[in-house]
Amino acid sequence: MTAFDYDVLYIGSGHGTFDGAIPLAAKGKKVAVVEQDLIGGTCPNRGCNAKIVLDSPVALKRHLEEVHGIVTGDVAINWAANQEHKHEVIAGLPDFIQGLLDSSNVDILFGRGTLVDNHTIKVNGEEKTAENIVISTGLQSNRLDIPGSDLAHDSEEFMNLSEMPARVTVIGAGYIAMEFATMASAAGSEVTVITHGDQALRAYHQPYVELIISELESKGVKFVRGVEVEAIVGGANGLVVRGADLSVDTDWVLDATGRNPNVADLGLEEVGVKYNEKGIEVDDHLRTSVSNIYASGDVIDKTQPKLTPTAIFESTYLMHTFAGETTDAIDYPVIPSVVFTSPRVAKAGITVSEAQANPDKYTVVENDLSGDWYRQVDKETVGKNTLIFDQDHKLVGATEVSNKAEDVINALLPAIEFKFGATELERMVYLFPSIASQAWGQL
Ligand SMILES: Cc1cc2nc3c(=O)[nH]c(=O)nc-3n(C[C@H](O)[C@H](O)[C@H](O)COP(=O)(O)OP(=O)(O)OC[C@H]3O[C@@H](n4cnc5c(N)ncnc54)[C@H](O)[C@@H]3O)c2cc1C
């Protein structure tokens, strides 16, 4: 039998890797991780963690605006201080994660990894072999293929802005576009959002998305919908974003037109790993078209949301597979998702449109949260939720738009995932008063 350098070798060190690689090595497997950039990947360094620090004063500002009169005085976000705070919170994360990898005896190979054959990866000119390889290379920001695209910036550059520009134009309609438009507007920028189609956040309940857009518009954000951006040009007074019948003067452009899988120049074609524009193709064991090469995290072509919890679930599943603890196919749980706008929109399970298309299977209950006494504590002005039940009156889906939508959906998750009936629900005792206690309040 050939002796390999490692049992498992991962390319990429994000959540698609480290949540599984650390316990796998702790179980005695010989594990290595190849990383060309910061340890921990996108989420801790230039995604979730960075963003939520920057969003914290944005959410607080909204709260203070709602209780204005009870709390008095002007509120403004000092973006430079916010940026400094973000740095304090996240700067230590790569070392922290590296410490976890080191202490479990995971080897870290710094450099760009490429496949040489189905058992070999080349890093910095050196070849390392492994019985199994996991490709977990994530996504990178799309760049519009238009004249002047180099004048636009991506989400990472936005999160590193030391000063918020006076005028920001956001191109895109996904969660990054909507969240960053919210932040820029709250930080005092004049914001224009240009969307290619007519809808934003297409995966979410559209009446709730429209509520978010109205809130943003009431704060002065301009939405220009159904426009194809054709060029970005330098002007006498900053930049101009151009399309048919469109000309927006601006200082800074965020290209939030999507994220593409990191599959280029990895040696996938040479080794026979199949992929398409949505990512690497895998079977229900996360195995690629080459039987000992797996994929994990955002780089996979999948229907589940490309988010951190999905990547963690996949890397943990692979850990159990490589440890010989399961041969089962991956069985995804209900994966919730949220957009950190002001207010937020969050969802889990069966969607409203799916339920409405199958009235024989589902009952849809909509609640206007303005009647809920607990929401009035914070003088919350916008809030609705929709609960979806199956024929046995078990909760199978929920979506909410409110300042605390993520907490409400988290509170409902166990019931959706484990299909709680009346007996289990009676045993769900929440702290009172708290937002979780109100998640079921409407029933
Ligand atoms: C702005 C932004 C905000 C986000 N907010 C949220 C959020 O609020 N909640 C949430 O759940 N998710 C959020 N996400 C998504 C989340 O960050 C990803 O789902 C998660 O990071 C996926 O982990 P991953 O390991 O698959 O990929 P990544 O974390 O992207 O890791 C891939 C790693 O592979 C490395 N790599 C690539 N190619 C090579 C190579 N050839 N050799 C060596 N190394 C290589 C990269 O350097 C990178 O470190 C956000 C993403 C962005 C961009």
Side-chain angles (χ1 to χ4, degrees):
M1 208 176 119
T2 325
F4 297 110
D5 296 323
Y6 297 102
D7 295 312
V8 185
L9 213 161
Y10 295 81
I11 312 184
S13 70
H15 279 290
T17 289
F18 72 83
D19 296 85
I22 292 167
L24 184 64
K27 286 170 191 282
K29 294 285 176 188
K30 208 156 177 346
V31 178
V33 168
V34 184
E35 177 55 64
Q36 64 183 4
D37 198 333
L38 289 174
I39 293 289
T42 303
C43 183
N45 298 304
R46 44 189 182 271
C48 339
N49 303 45
K51 174 190 80 188
I52 211 67
V53 184
L54 293 173
D55 172 73
S56 173
V58 175
L60 177 64
K61 182 165 183 264
R62 176 177 176 81
H63 181 34
L64 290 173
E65 282 162 359
E66 284 175 333
V67 295
H68 185 69
I70 299 175
V71 180
T72 55
D74 289 339
V75 179
I77 292 175
N78 176 339
W79 187 260
N82 199 20
Q83 193 57 257
E84 207 175 300
H85 178 53
K86 181 209 79 180
H87 186 71
E88 282 160 9
V89 176
I90 70 162
L93 292 176
D95 282 351
F96 172 71
I97 298 164
Q98 182 167 344
L100 297 176
L101 290 161
D102 287 342
S103 59
S104 305
N105 294 321
V106 175
D107 282 353
I108 303 176
L109 312 172
F110 285 101
R112 182 170 172 75
T114 47
L115 289 161
V116 176
D117 62 42
N118 67 325
H119 286 293
T120 312
I121 289 177
K122 190 187 254 189
V123 195
N124 296 328
E126 217 182 305
E127 294 193 351
K128 297 286 178 188
T129 59
E131 185 175 359
N132 292 300
I133 289 171
V134 181
I135 302 166
S136 187
T137 49
L139 305 174
Q140 60 180 300
S141 300
N142 187 51
R143 286 275 167 172
L144 279 170
D145 187 14
I146 54 169
S149 63
D150 54 315
L151 297 170
H153 304 267
D154 66 11
S155 53
E156 186 176 359
E157 290 167 303
F158 180 95
M159 288 192 287
N160 287 331
L161 278 170
S162 50
E163 297 292 333
M164 184 55 72
R167 298 168 302 177
V168 170
T169 297
V170 177
I171 308 172
Y175 76 96
I176 293 177
M178 295 292 282
E179 289 176 344
F180 287 27
T182 302
M183 277 191 254
S185 165
S189 191
E190 196 182 292
V191 179
T192 305
V193 180
I194 304 172
T195 70
H196 189 231
D198 200 37
Q199 295 183 332
L201 302 175
R202 283 204 306 275
Y204 290 82
H205 188 41
Q206 284 302 301
Y208 292 3
V209 173
E210 290 303 325
L211 277 177
I212 292 168
I213 291 176
S214 299
E215 280 296 294
L216 283 168
E217 284 175 337
S218 74
K219 305 262 187 284
V221 176
K222 290 193 197 78
F223 276 79
V224 187
R225 307 202 205 187
V227 173
E228 179 134 0
V229 172
E230 290 167 355
I232 303 167
V233 292
N237 177 24
L239 302 170
V240 187
V241 180
R242 290 209 179 126
D245 301 325
L246 175 83
S247 177
V248 177
D249 292 325
T250 193
D251 299 309
W252 208 86
V253 179
L254 171 65
D255 180 347
T257 54
R259 291 178 54 78
N260 304 318
N262 282 323
V263 288
D265 306 323
L266 271 177
L268 299 182
E269 297 84 353
E270 291 79 352
V271 176
V273 173
K274 289 197 184 136
Y275 65 91
N276 58 53
E277 75 278 358
K278 291 195 215 129
I280 294 180
E281 297 169 15
V282 291
D283 66 11
D284 57 7
H285 286 73
L286 302 187
R287 203 182 282 129
T288 69
S289 47
V290 177
S291 67
N292 73 308
I293 301 184
Y294 295 75
S296 175
D298 282 2
V299 77
I300 297 180
D301 169 13
K302 59 188 170 190
T303 51
Q304 286 73 23
K306 293 196 175 192
L307 292 172
T308 289
T310 325
I312 294 173
F313 188 80
E314 288 162 350
S315 61
T316 306
Y317 164 79
L318 283 179
M319 176 268 291
H320 290 305
T321 300
F322 297 137
E325 294 163 355
T326 185
T327 53
D328 290 349
I330 190 164
D331 177 17
Y332 285 101
V334 171
I335 295 180
S337 61
V338 53
V339 185
F340 289 99
T341 39
S342 297
R344 279 80 159 99
V345 60
K347 67 181 174 69
I350 301 293
T351 62
V352 181
S353 52
E354 218 175 327
Q356 284 167 342
N358 295 283
D360 48 324
K361 284 167 79 179
Y362 303 112
T363 310
V364 176
V365 178
E366 177 153 12
N367 301 290
D368 189 331
L369 304 178
S370 59
D372 179 322
W373 79 272
Y374 188 71
R375 315 291 178 136
Q376 292 164 23
V377 170
D378 286 346
K379 296 184 99 184
E380 205 170 340
T381 50
V382 179
K384 284 179 189 290
N385 82 18
T386 306
L387 304 179
I388 294 150
F389 298 91
D390 67 8
Q391 285 167 323
D392 301 324
H393 202 65
K394 290 189 174 167
L395 186 72
V396 290
T399 179
E400 167 150 331
V401 60
S402 75
N403 290 351
K404 299 195 177 78
E406 70 274 36
D407 296 330
V408 170
I409 296 300
N410 269 339
L412 295 172
L413 257 187
I416 302 175
E417 171 61 23
F418 297 110
K419 304 205 167 23
F420 289 171
T423 315
E424 292 85 2
L425 286 180
E426 256 180 41
R427 296 196 64 78
M428 295 290 289
V429 177
Y430 294 101
L431 290 169
F432 186 85
S434 73
I435 195 68
S437 68
Q438 301 308 109
W440 290 103
Q442 304 81 339
L443 293 181

